[in-house]
Amino acid sequence: MTARPPEAFTLDRIETPVGTVLLVTDAQGVVRALDFVDYEPRMLRLLARHYGQVKLTPGQAPEPVRAGVRAYFGGDARALEGLPVATAGTPFQREVWAALRSIPAGETRSYGQLAAAIGRPKAVRAVGLANGANPVGIIVPCHRVVGANGTMTGYAGGLERKRWLLAHEAAAL
């Protein structure tokens, strides 16, 4: 059996008001991962889980992607909506991640609402696990999911960032 060559991606770093963002894109400029620099080990684990061996080359993401990220953090809460993303994951995870992208900026949904939105109202825990395995934070807005009573629940980038992102989007709209 021949070993598959590693997936080749570009690793960009963009400064934001809440820390440096790591932005991983493929040769076509499609976003494969986005996370905060202090969560780089998590991002690397997710990339390895989804793609196997990866080769990250420092560089810049395509300008439209960089511009979208900068515009989002600059106050345009909808700047990320059209950015192309590709996520490996299971079919269920991809279904959850697609549903996340349908949550409008400045709004939140509970895990139960998200489960109902994908037609699986009893899969609340599985939706939570898929949400936590999202490799493309912010663009696939897992920060917009809250507890059933509206409380802040876990966020891979930290609850303070989650609060900031939600307040940032609310203020921008």
Side-chain angles (χ1 to χ4, degrees), residues 14-172:
I14 299 174
E15 296 302 320
T16 77
V18 287
T20 304
V21 166
L22 301 173
L23 181 61
V24 176
T25 52
D26 64 20
Q28 291 73 42
V30 175
V31 179
R32 297 302 185 113
L34 188 150
D35 215 327
F36 291 97
V37 72
D38 46 328
Y39 289 88
E40 185 171 2
R42 174 191 177 275
M43 182 191 77
L44 294 173
R45 278 192 309 275
L46 288 175
L47 285 170
R49 183 180 308 150
H50 294 304
Y51 302 108
Q53 188 178 8
V54 297
K55 178 182 178 194
L56 296 176
T57 303
Q60 286 193 345
E63 188 51 35
V65 176
R66 294 185 101 239
V69 172
R70 287 191 309 264
Y72 173 83
F73 282 102
D76 182 354
R78 293 188 177 101
L80 304 174
E81 290 177 1
L83 293 182
V85 300
T87 53
T90 67
F92 179 79
Q93 288 173 324
R94 290 192 308 271
E95 188 176 3
V96 171
W97 299 334
L100 287 169
R101 287 200 89 179
S102 73
I103 303 171
E107 294 185 21
T108 60
R109 300 287 185 274
S110 70
Y111 292 98
Q113 289 171 318
L114 195 57
I118 64 168
R120 299 173 188 216
K122 294 183 185 216
V124 176
R125 289 183 124 185
V127 163
L129 290 172
N131 195 51
N134 170 21
V136 189
I138 304 172
I139 298 172
V140 176
C142 50
H143 63 278
R144 296 181 188 153
V145 182
V146 298
N149 60 0
T151 57
M152 292 292 144
T153 55
Y155 177 62
L159 287 180
E160 285 305 311
R161 281 194 181 116
K162 181 173 185 161
R163 284 185 193 92
W164 188 92
L165 293 166
L166 292 172
H168 171 70
E169 290 178 0

